[in-house]
Amino acid sequence: MALLSIRTFPDPVLKRAAQPVENIDGSLANFVDSLVQTMYAAPGLGLAAPQVGDSRRVIVLDVDHESQGKRLLRLINPRIVEAQGSIVWQEGCLSVRDFNADVRRAARVLVKAVTLDQREIEVEADDVLAVVLQHEIDHLDGKLFIDRISRIKRELYRKRLAKMIKEGKTDEERPSPARL
Ligand code: NI
């Protein structure tokens, strides 16, 4: 199976709100498989369709790469229906090169979504799973974690990225444990 190529900031597709999936069929299942393989290969704890240039509301996540697949979630049209508390987590993103930052999010969320076999499911999450769910659903709304940090920090990152691009340094991948 071919891996999909991951788009990075400032690719405009990352800013676009994704559209709800209306038909769950074989071609969607194939796409979701590719998304999963691309996430594991990256590696990342989660991946949203817009990150591979596809504006549909689909996310995949697996917060346990030690036993790959056990906690794998493939969610179609996910939405947060309840959110409580607050947690600060150092986030990174496969679409944001060479940058991590602390982001405050809800500590617990309840997410409703549809599965590939067309079942409505609910996912109750806290800790890292709650963080990754919110991060990936943000991608569906055209939002990156750098949109949730202070403007000063975001501007510093923009400048650093521009410099890296100018110096041709962006192909150096720095492994990071928490890219979502
Ligand atoms: Ni991300």
Side-chain angles (χ1 to χ4, degrees):
M1 185 175 306
L3 296 178
L4 306 166
S5 86
I6 296 175
R7 308 293 186 89
T8 56
F9 175 82
D11 190 315
V13 73
L14 297 169
K15 283 259 160 203
R16 207 173 292 152
Q19 295 303 305
V21 171
E22 281 169 13
N23 285 315
I24 298 173
D25 55 15
S27 93
L28 182 74
N30 287 337
F31 169 67
V32 172
D33 270 352
S34 303
L35 210 51
V36 169
Q37 297 316 317
T38 304
M39 170 184 74
Y40 285 135
L45 300 181
L47 191 62
Q51 291 182 273
V52 297
D54 187 311
S55 288
R56 285 183 287 181
R57 301 188 78 83
V58 177
I59 61 173
V60 297
L61 35 136
D62 190 342
V63 295
D64 183 8
H65 281 218
E66 302 266 291
S67 41
Q68 221 172 66
K70 244 183 168 175
R71 297 184 68 190
L72 172 65
L73 289 169
R74 288 166 285 208
L75 304 179
I76 298 155
N77 300 337
R79 61 190 201 281
I80 294 165
V81 292
E82 277 178 47
Q84 289 177 334
S86 104
I87 187 175
V88 175
W89 200 276
Q90 195 184 47
E91 297 186 22
C93 178
L94 295 170
S95 296
V96 178
R97 290 169 289 194
D98 291 304
F99 188 65
N100 298 292
D102 284 347
V103 180
R104 182 179 297 279
R105 296 190 185 268
R108 288 172 299 283
V109 291
L110 177 65
V111 169
K112 285 192 178 180
V114 182
T115 61
L116 277 174
D117 49 5
Q118 322 221 5
R119 277 179 305 125
E120 275 265 2
I121 58 162
E122 288 188 352
V123 181
E124 257 188 80
D126 61 7
D127 205 59
V128 64
L129 183 59
V131 170
V132 182
L133 278 165
Q134 291 169 86
H135 178 115
E136 301 312 330
I137 292 171
D138 263 0
H139 276 300
L140 303 182
D141 295 326
K143 212 174 258 180
L144 299 172
F145 81 93
I146 51 174
D147 297 317
R148 293 190 176 276
I149 61 177
S150 75
R151 228 180 84 187
I152 293 170
K153 283 188 191 157
R154 189 164 55 244
E155 285 313 313
L156 282 174
Y157 172 65
R158 275 181 196 275
K159 281 186 190 142
R160 187 151 66 78
L161 181 67
K163 189 165 171 254
M164 278 169 14
I165 290 172
K166 210 171 143 194
E167 292 169 356
K169 281 189 184 156
T170 55
D171 291 330
E172 281 173 40
E173 273 293 334
R174 213 177 38 184
S176 153
R179 294 186 304 176
L180 323 172

